[in-house]
């Protein structure tokens, strides 16, 4: 592993005091944690992006959720780490994130703008059970009445329920849970490190019951594997039964880094679909707009039938949709958002 961005220069990402630990306990077997001290934690979204927020906080790099489609895989290459199995098992932990956030929130230049979390990798992945960074992060945001949103597949967020409730009393808090499908066979193969879809929907149910509104990103809808009418219906019905305030469908997209890993997985598990995917994504990272619009229309019709709907325009910034910096002809489609 190469760490080029170390030291005391203004451009350095981390300090030089890195500790790498391989943990043998069952819940972390095979995972190596690289404990670093970040130089900054509130990150500005690149100006070329069209995301509905300008600032993010990401306490981790890499993710043990091991979602085969995860767009953030490419970010591991910046540290010369493997974007396949390495992304799933080499987790960079910014151990000073809570203290650093408190310091940055008190800086004179900070204007109390919205901060999005879970926009790169999941801040409630398994590592959070060991390092407990989010209580300090949420506490800092609460104490400064700074608005924020969280996108997660992790049930560990319920550990911080009381902190979230306290924060919601003083500022705008948005929570979105990612559930793209309820097909258990599909879940086991494409999201092997995540809690089961029904457990994630229990998170929605619990948050809503405690007065914290929660939406669902129905993401990703996976072409030819999770997009059959009965699959879409089952998923929207389960989302409605959880009490979600909104449902937003997001079609699978395959950026460089994720694309290679997903296509390798597809060739192993569903080789007959490889030619269909090559045709569907021949134009870039995104599925054709006609397909995106068809899925969006179907899901919205089902949502109306079951008494829920898409996120309202005023809630858009709570649904963090990272998009490419430019150059992809499919990136501008109005129905396409992305997830972690």
């Amino acid at each position: 592993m190469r760490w080029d961005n170390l030291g005391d220069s203004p451009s350095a990402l981390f300090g030089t005091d890195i500790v790498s630990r391989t943990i043998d306990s069952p819940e972390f077997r095979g995972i190596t944690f690289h404990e670093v001290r970040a130089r900054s934690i509130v990150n500005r979204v690149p100006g070329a992006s069209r995301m509905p927020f300008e600032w993010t906080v990401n306490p981790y790099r890499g993710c043990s959720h091991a979602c085969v489609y995860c767009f953030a895989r490419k970010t591991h290459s910046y540290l010369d780490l493997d974007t396949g199995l390495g992304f799933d098992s080499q987790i960079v932990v910014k151990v000073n994130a809570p203290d650093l956030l408190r310091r940055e929130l008190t800086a004179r230049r900070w204007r109390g703008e919205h901060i999005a979390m879970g926009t790169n990798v999941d801040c409630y992945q398994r590592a959070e059970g060991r390092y407990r960074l989010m209580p300090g992060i949420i506490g800092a945001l609460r104490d400064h009445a700074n608005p924020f949103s969280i996108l997660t597949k992790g049930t560990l967020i319920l550990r911080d329920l009381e902190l979230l409730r306290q924060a919601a009393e003083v500022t705008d808090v948005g929570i979105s849970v990612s559930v793209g499908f309820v097909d258990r066979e599909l879940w086991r193969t494409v999201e092997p490190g995540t809690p089961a879809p029904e457990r994630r929907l229990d998170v929605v149910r619990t948050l809503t019951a405690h007065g914290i509104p929660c939406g669902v990103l129905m993401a990703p809808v996976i072409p030819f594997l999770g997009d059959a009418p009965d699959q879409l219906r089952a998923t929207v019905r389960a989302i409605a039964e959880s009490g979600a305030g909104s449902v937003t469908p997001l079609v699978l997209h395959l950026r460089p880094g994720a694309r290679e890993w997903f296509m390798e997985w597809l060739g192993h598990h569903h080789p007959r679909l490889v030619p269909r995917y090559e045709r569907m994504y021949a134009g870039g990272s995104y599925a054709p707009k006609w397909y995106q619009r068809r899925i969006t229309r179907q899901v919205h019709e089902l949502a109306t039938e079951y008494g829920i709907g898409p996120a309202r325009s005023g809630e858009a910034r709570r649904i963090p949709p990272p998009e490419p910096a430019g150059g992809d002809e499919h990136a501008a489609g109005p129905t396409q958002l992305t997830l972690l």
Side-chain angles (χ1 to χ4, degrees), residues 2 62 104 110 136 147 168 172-173 184 245 278 294 302 317 323:
R2 185 183 73 234
E104 294 185 15
W110 181 247
D172 187 13
V173 176
R184 290 186 66 85
E278 289 175 342
R294 190 189 81 189
L302 289 166
R317 65 180 179 77
E323 295 186 6

Side-chain angles (χ1 to χ4, degrees), residues 179-187 197-198 201 230-231 233-239:
V179 182
F181 41 82
V182 292
D183 184 317
R184 290 186 66 85
E185 183 177 354
L186 184 59
W187 158 64
E198 60 267 25
L201 291 175
D230 61 332
Q231 291 175 305
R233 176 173 289 277
T235 302
V236 175
R237 182 173 61 244
I239 291 170

Side-chain angles (χ1 to χ4, degrees), residues 140-160:
L141 292 165
R142 174 204 61 195
D143 293 348
H144 288 82
N146 201 107
F148 65 92
S149 61
I150 298 172
L151 170 62
T152 185
K153 290 187 179 80
T155 57
L156 190 57
I157 191 173
L158 293 181
R159 178 201 63 194
D160 298 335

Side-chain angles (χ1 to χ4, degrees), residues 182-244:
V182 292
D183 184 317
R184 290 186 66 85
E185 183 177 354
L186 184 59
W187 158 64
R188 288 191 179 100
T189 56
V190 301
E191 300 173 344
T194 65
E198 60 267 25
R199 291 186 60 205
R200 286 178 246 163
L201 291 175
D202 284 340
V203 170
V204 178
R205 191 172 289 109
T206 301
L207 290 172
T208 302
H210 284 80
I212 301 174
C214 187
V216 169
L217 294 188
M218 190 171 160
V221 175
I222 303 179
F224 318 124
L225 292 172
D227 63 349
D230 61 332
Q231 291 175 305
L232 297 178
R233 176 173 289 277
T235 302
V236 175
R237 182 173 61 244
I239 291 170
E241 291 172 350
S242 75

